[in-house]
Amino acid sequence: MLITSSHSDYCKLLGSYILGKDFADLFDIVITNALKPGFFSHFPIQRPFHKLENDEEKDELPSLDKPGWYSQGNAAHLYELLKKMTSKPEPKVVYFGDSMHSDIFPAHHYTNWETVLILEELQGQETEKPEEAEPLEKRGKYEAPKVKPLNSLSNKWGSYFIDSVSGRGRAEDSLVYTWSSKRISTYSTIAIPSIESIADLPLDYKFTRFSTNNSKMAGYYPSVHYTLGSQDTDSKIISTEK
C-alpha cells in the first residue's frame, strides 16, 4: 500500500515520473491526502475515508470493503481492511517512512506497526570495493565530484548520532547518544539510508532490530561508523557491526 499526504493529482504526477504511468498497479491500496500524522492519531469519526472521482473527494465512507484508491481516512479502518484481505486477526504491517513526525512516531505509537526509517544522514556509509569500482574511462565526462557524506562529522554541529561530553578535571570525555539518535532507536524497527540500500538483499535476510540487547545502534543498516572530535589519529571512534 501507498500512503501519502499529497493530493491525488500530485501523487499521480510523481508516481508516473518515478515508477511509470502504471505505478498504481504496484499497490493494492493507494491513500492520498492522508493528512499524516492525523491519519494515525485521529479516530475514524474524525477522519473518514472518501471516494475519489477525477481527483476530487466525494462521499464519505463508513468503512473500507475492498482495495482501491481513496482519500484522507484513518489507520483503524485501513487495518480492518487488511484483516479482510489477509484473513488474519492481527496482520503484521511494516511501514516505510522518511519523517519521524509524520510517519515513524505515529505509526509506531498509535498502531504498533513495524517501522523502517529512511534516514538520509546514513548516506555514504556504503564503501565501494576497489574491484567493483567503475573504470575511470567508463564514467561520465561531466560526473560531479563526490560530496561529503551527510553522516560526516560537522565542525559546527558535530555528529548527528553521538555527542562528546567534556569531562571535569582530569576525567576523560564521555560519549552520549544525541536526542535524535534516542528517538530513532525508540520508534524505529530499523533505519536505512534509502530503499536502494536493501533492494538487492535476499527476501529472507535477517535484519538486526534496535530492540536487540537494548542497543541504540543495532538497527542501523548498513552498520555505522562515527568519528568524534578532531579529524586526526587521536579521534575517538564508535562503530557497530552487522
Side-chain angles (χ1 to χ4, degrees):
M1 59 187 177
L2 171 65
I3 306 174
T4 175
S5 291
S6 298
H7 284 270
S8 179
D9 53 354
Y10 189 62
C11 176
K12 290 178 181 178
L13 176 65
L14 289 185
S16 299
Y17 180 79
I18 298 171
L19 300 173
K21 63 180 181 178
D22 298 326
F23 78 95
D25 295 339
L26 300 173
F27 305 96
D28 295 303
I29 304 168
V30 176
I31 301 171
T32 54
N33 196 26
L35 303 175
K36 299 176 290 184
F39 179 86
F40 300 100
S41 60
H42 283 55
F43 293 110
I45 193 173
Q46 297 174 293
R47 190 66 60 76
F49 279 96
H50 290 259
K51 292 181 179 179
L52 280 171
E53 293 182 11
N54 298 322
D55 296 324
E56 292 187 6
E57 295 178 354
K58 296 298 182 180
D59 302 336
E60 293 184 2
L61 299 173
S63 63
L64 296 180
D65 57 1
K66 61 181 180 180
W69 191 308
Y70 302 99
S71 183
Q72 296 198 41
N74 59 87
H77 280 169
L78 172 60
Y79 196 65
E80 290 301 317
L81 175 59
L82 296 180
K83 291 180 181 180
K84 296 178 183 179
M85 294 174 62
T86 60
S87 299
K88 295 182 178 181
E90 296 183 356
K92 294 182 179 180
V93 181
V94 180
Y95 181 74
F96 288 70
D98 62 359
S99 170
M100 179 62 71
H101 171 264
S102 300
D103 297 311
I104 302 305
F105 169 75
H108 173 91
H109 182 74
Y110 294 104
T111 66
N112 201 33
W113 291 354
E114 301 284 7
T115 53
V116 179
L117 174 60
I118 301 175
L119 185 66
E120 67 176 7
E121 281 78 9
L122 289 175
Q123 290 179 7
Q125 291 294 341
E126 305 93 332
T127 56
E128 187 178 35
K129 296 180 181 179
E131 63 270 21
E132 296 177 351
E134 191 174 18
L136 183 61
E137 61 270 15
K138 290 187 178 182
R139 300 182 184 181
K141 181 178 180 180
Y142 299 105
E143 184 179 36
K146 293 185 177 180
V147 299
K148 184 178 181 181
L150 290 176
N151 64 301
S152 298
L153 177 66
S154 166
N155 293 330
K156 183 174 183 179
W157 301 111
S159 169
Y160 183 79
F161 306 94
I162 299 291
D163 196 9
S164 179
V165 178
S166 300
R168 295 182 178 180
R170 296 183 178 180
E172 294 184 355
D173 293 353
S174 59
L175 304 178
V176 297
Y177 297 109
T178 62
W179 182 90
S180 298
S181 180
K182 291 178 181 178
R183 300 290 79 76
I184 292 169
S185 61
T186 299
Y187 300 115
S188 307
T189 303
I190 63 172
I192 61 177
S194 65
I195 295 294
E196 289 81 1
S197 66
I198 65 172
D200 292 332
L201 295 175
L203 295 179
D204 59 351
Y205 182 87
K206 301 294 184 182
F207 290 92
T208 303
R209 305 163 63 100
F210 278 115
S211 58
T212 303
N213 298 324
N214 295 320
S215 172
K216 291 182 174 61
M217 296 295 170
Y220 290 111
Y221 179 89
S223 57
V224 292
H225 300 269
Y226 306 111
T227 302
L228 303 177
S230 59
Q231 299 283 5
D232 54 29
T233 55
D234 293 328
S235 297
K236 297 179 180 178
I237 297 178
I238 288 184
S239 64
T240 63
E241 298 181 1
K242 296 182 182 178

